[in-house]
Amino acid sequence: MKAKKITHFYIASKEMSNVLFSCEEIMGLQRLFERANRFIDTEEKVRKSQVLAGSIAHEIRNPLSKIKYHFEKIDSDFLSALNSLATLEIEKIHQELTEGKKALQLGTKFIDVILDELRGSSISTSFFQHYSAASLTSQALNDFSLYSEEHKKRIHLEATNNFYFYGSDTLFSFVLFNLLKNAVYYFDTFPESHISIQFEKGLKHNKIHVRDTGPGITEEQLENLFDEFYSFGKVSGNGLGLAYCKKVMESFSGSISCHSILGEFTEFTLTFPASNIQSNGELTNPRIKQHLSGQSCLILSASSLSKKLTESFNGLNMNIECSNDPCLSFTRLKDRPFNFIVIDHRLYITHYDQISMLREGKYGYLAQITPIFIFNSTSINLNNDRISVPKYTQGYIDTLNGALAFECSLEVIINDAKFAPLGSLNDKTVLVVDDMHANRLLVKAYLSKEGINVIQAASGYEAIEQVTKNNIDLIFMDIHMPGMNGIETAKQLKELDSTMPIIAVSGEYGEKIVSDIHEVMDDYIVKPIEKSTLVSLTSKWLIINKVTD
């Protein structure tokens, strides 16, 4: 009754004048108590199973961190050293290593999903961002494990009508993986079947259609398709996948539906609310204006494109200069430096040698450390809706897919601190506190590549000692440590220096632990650590926050 749900209702006849229980009432109550006990026992077993599964998922993180560290060591110490002498075999090994790292990264993300579901908590929207539907779909297709190249050829992505949505990249991948897994399951028994993925843009809603020409689904099966524990047609499967997909889409303020004709096709439709961003190009995120106000930018492109891009930057209070001659502009950078450069992809290709010389310092030190961002003015290229960021450039600015896409690409660059001059993290000192040696080594391997000096501590007591002896700029602090844990250590460190940023490193992020972290620490990152997230957080606290303070 606490949840206001009635699972059983018992009715028995009784004479009001008779104060004694009848035999019928006693037998009925006995059966009721037996049934209640079974429910209590089952609920206790489920609770214990959830605790055990959560503990297992949590403990898996440490060996995964160790595997990630060894992957990074092989990549940096062995394969990078052979880069100039790379043979076809070495390139194949490197590709296999890259795929292994991607699979490991994806697996750790899904552990987070499992932990959230085991806690029975609603999906948190605190980490939601705007994402490109085409870009995430393309990445999910690349990450999805297929049995053969022939299977891969039977999946077709139509990347036109791309749109942006507000949600989670991990949860979106989970949804798409479930739909792909269900469809690919029938590839062998239906050798002519294929999968098509298309995007649809509308005024109020945007949609992704995932259609397979497999066996189809009956009307009876469609009625229960998104119910928990409902499964059909497969030997394995617990019926939780599509039920959780529905939960995910609802957290995106959207929905998921299915239409099917038996023997012909099955089509799932993912519906997202259309963005209400103004079409006049005015940016809605005040943080972008705060970060770019007063900045100077050199735009390298044809005159008509420069005008369009200048209009996109309108309202940011920036100083913008345009040119269609990179070589001439680079020679003037010694006397007229800029905070960053934006270059059309075509000019990047035709003036690659000059850009290479700029990065080598031929146009002076200030030009050498100036960030360069690329944009594509002609057509969608690579990865469906975005250019893969080429060498010598720091990011991609989307000028093809409307105001929201432009704003989101700027937000990504700001979050990753890519507007900062190259080498801004050089000579910074970071303290890594973790009782697991492999975890410390992984963080060190990632940060050292950015020119950061990394000091290690295996306990809270050692961390306090290191802070008193060294000039520390930032601390990454493990939460669960023997002796003095991360929360207690952070409290003592804040008493020594309240301004020193401390970032929690945790294998879990339930409400209680997040609340404890926010009381004494400044931010947190979830194990196993991803390099991009680690560097982004480091940049946020050592570069971005220093600029905006």
Side-chain angles (χ1 to χ4, degrees):
M1 291 298 294
K2 185 178 180 181
K4 296 184 179 180
K5 291 183 179 179
I6 298 175
T7 59
H8 290 75
F9 193 73
Y10 173 64
I11 301 177
S13 61
K14 181 176 178 62
E15 293 183 13
M16 296 301 296
S17 60
N18 193 350
V19 295
L20 298 176
F21 286 103
S22 67
C23 181
E24 180 187 359
E25 288 176 307
I26 293 172
M27 289 178 64
L29 288 171
Q30 186 177 0
R31 290 182 62 187
L32 182 64
F33 290 145
E34 287 174 355
R35 181 66 63 88
N37 280 329
R38 285 203 295 270
F39 268 94
I40 292 170
D41 289 342
T42 302
E43 187 175 329
E44 179 65 15
K45 288 177 181 178
V46 170
R47 188 189 66 80
K48 289 180 179 179
S49 298
Q50 289 176 332
V51 172
L52 178 61
S55 177
I56 291 172
H58 175 68
E59 291 302 322
I60 284 174
R61 294 178 183 277
N62 283 330
L64 287 182
S65 292
K66 194 168 185 179
I67 294 171
K68 288 188 76 169
Y69 167 69
H70 288 299
F71 275 174
E72 291 299 327
K73 288 291 287 181
I74 293 170
D75 196 1
S76 61
D77 294 354
F78 177 62
L79 295 179
S80 295
L82 296 174
N83 189 45
S84 59
L85 303 173
T87 63
L88 183 60
E89 288 75 15
I90 293 296
E91 289 179 0
K92 286 181 178 179
I93 293 174
H94 190 270
Q95 180 61 32
E96 293 295 330
L97 182 68
T98 301
E99 292 301 317
K101 288 161 71 174
K102 284 166 57 179
L104 189 63
Q105 177 178 323
L106 195 63
T108 58
K109 287 184 176 181
F110 286 152
I111 286 176
D112 296 338
V113 172
I114 292 169
L115 287 173
D116 277 343
E117 189 65 6
L118 286 172
R119 296 186 190 104
S121 55
S122 59
I123 294 175
S124 172
T125 61
S126 58
F127 292 103
F128 281 15
Q129 299 179 37
H130 280 103
Y131 290 99
S132 157
S135 181
L136 288 189
T137 302
S138 176
Q139 181 163 345
L141 290 176
N142 289 332
D143 293 341
F144 185 70
S145 298
L146 290 160
Y147 295 111
S148 66
E149 281 297 318
E150 289 302 315
H151 279 189
K152 191 171 185 178
K153 292 176 182 177
R154 290 161 65 177
I155 302 177
H156 309 287
L157 172 63
E158 177 57 58
T160 55
N161 296 320
N162 179 38
F163 60 88
Y164 277 68
F165 70 92
Y166 189 70
S168 159
D169 56 344
T170 300
L171 295 176
F172 178 84
S173 297
F174 181 91
V175 172
L176 207 58
F177 274 31
N178 266 275
L179 301 185
L180 291 172
K181 181 184 64 176
N182 291 338
V184 169
Y185 180 85
Y186 297 102
F187 266 9
D188 291 332
T189 51
F190 290 80
E192 299 300 319
S193 66
H194 62 272
I195 301 170
S196 64
I197 303 175
Q198 295 180 317
F199 303 94
E200 177 187 345
K201 293 183 71 173
L203 294 176
K204 294 184 177 180
H205 298 97
N206 299 319
K207 299 178 180 181
I208 300 177
H209 301 280
V210 182
R211 173 183 284 225
D212 72 84
T213 54
I217 303 173
T218 67
E219 289 186 13
E220 180 184 357
Q221 291 164 345
L222 280 172
E223 290 179 3
N224 304 294
L225 198 59
F226 298 102
D227 295 343
E228 289 187 353
F229 305 111
Y230 180 75
S231 182
F232 67 91
K234 293 184 288 185
V235 177
S236 60
N238 52 30
L240 288 174
L242 288 176
Y244 193 73
C245 289
K246 180 182 178 183
K247 188 175 179 181
V248 168
M249 289 306 301
E250 288 173 350
S251 75
F252 293 171
S253 299
S255 63
I256 179 172
S257 60
C258 182
H259 174 60
S260 181
I261 297 179
L262 193 63
E264 294 188 22
F265 71 88
T266 298
E267 180 172 299
F268 286 90
T269 300
L270 307 178
T271 302
F272 305 80
S275 170
N276 59 359
I277 191 168
Q278 298 177 5
S279 58
N280 60 10
E282 182 180 345
L283 299 181
T284 61
N285 189 337
R287 185 163 168 262
I288 295 177
K289 185 172 184 178
Q290 178 189 21
H291 195 87
L292 294 182
S293 179
Q295 298 275 304
S296 59
C297 168
L298 171 63
I299 298 177
L300 298 172
S301 68
S303 300
S304 58
L305 298 173
S306 296
K307 181 180 179 182
K308 181 181 178 181
L309 193 53
T310 301
E311 290 173 353
S312 297
F313 281 111
N314 187 35
L316 292 178
N317 190 31
M318 293 175 57
N319 300 310
I320 297 176
E321 183 174 306
C322 302
S323 171
N324 59 5
D325 188 344
C327 187
L328 179 62
S329 297
F330 289 167
T331 58
R332 297 175 176 174
L333 287 177
K334 291 181 181 179
D335 303 317
R336 178 85 166 84
F338 292 88
N339 292 112
F340 61 93
I341 298 169
V342 181
I343 184 169
D344 182 5
H345 186 241
R346 293 172 300 179
L347 284 183
Y348 175 88
I349 294 173
T350 56
H351 292 77
Y352 180 84
D353 290 342
Q354 283 76 31
I355 295 172
S356 175
M357 291 169 59
L358 181 145
R359 282 291 177 252
E360 292 169 2
K362 300 294 177 62
Y363 296 102
Y365 175 71
L366 291 179
Q368 185 181 18
I369 63 173
T370 301
I372 300 176
F373 302 97
I374 199 166
F375 75 98
N376 193 2
S377 58
T378 54
S379 63
I380 293 173
N381 184 28
L382 302 179
N383 293 332
N384 300 298
D385 75 317
R386 58 194 280 184
I387 299 173
S388 57
V389 179
K391 189 177 181 182
Y392 301 130
T393 66
Q394 281 59 63
Y396 171 63
I397 295 179
D398 192 337
T399 59
L400 290 174
N401 296 298
L404 178 58
F406 176 75
E407 178 172 331
C408 290
S409 61
L410 292 181
E411 190 173 358
V412 168
I413 293 171
I414 291 173
N415 289 341
D416 292 341
K418 296 299 184 181
F419 278 121
L422 275 62
S424 294
L425 291 176
N426 285 352
D427 301 325
K428 299 291 185 182
T429 300
V430 171
L431 173 63
V432 181
V433 188
D434 198 310
D435 61 308
M436 293 288 294
H437 188 227
N439 291 341
R440 299 197 306 272
L441 290 179
L442 180 63
V443 175
K444 182 177 181 179
Y446 286 152
L447 295 183
S448 295
K449 290 181 180 179
E450 304 298 319
I452 297 171
N453 176 38
V454 179
I455 298 174
Q456 301 181 51
S459 68
Y461 304 106
E462 190 176 339
I464 294 172
E465 181 183 351
Q466 291 289 359
V467 169
T468 58
K469 294 193 308 184
N470 298 282
N471 185 19
I472 307 293
D473 297 299
L474 176 70
I475 299 175
F476 283 100
M477 177 77 66
D478 184 29
I479 295 298
H480 299 291
M481 295 185 294
M484 184 163 52
N485 65 32
I487 301 293
E488 295 167 343
T489 305
K491 287 179 180 178
Q492 294 197 27
L493 290 174
K494 285 294 186 179
E495 290 178 0
L496 294 175
D497 184 356
S498 61
T499 63
M500 181 167 47
I502 303 177
I503 299 175
V505 182
S506 176
E508 57 179 301
Y509 57 99
E511 291 183 10
K512 177 64 169 65
I513 194 70
V514 170
S515 175
D516 291 342
I517 288 170
H518 283 324
E519 281 188 16
V520 293
M521 300 193 195
D522 303 283
D523 217 326
Y524 69 96
I525 186 172
V526 180
K527 294 180 183 177
I529 294 171
E530 298 176 22
K531 181 181 179 181
S532 59
T533 308
L534 181 73
V535 175
S536 177
L537 269 179
T538 305
S539 301
K540 170 184 173 181
W541 287 100
L542 296 186
I543 300 175
I544 300 174
N545 286 4
K546 297 294 184 183
V547 172
T548 55
D549 282 348

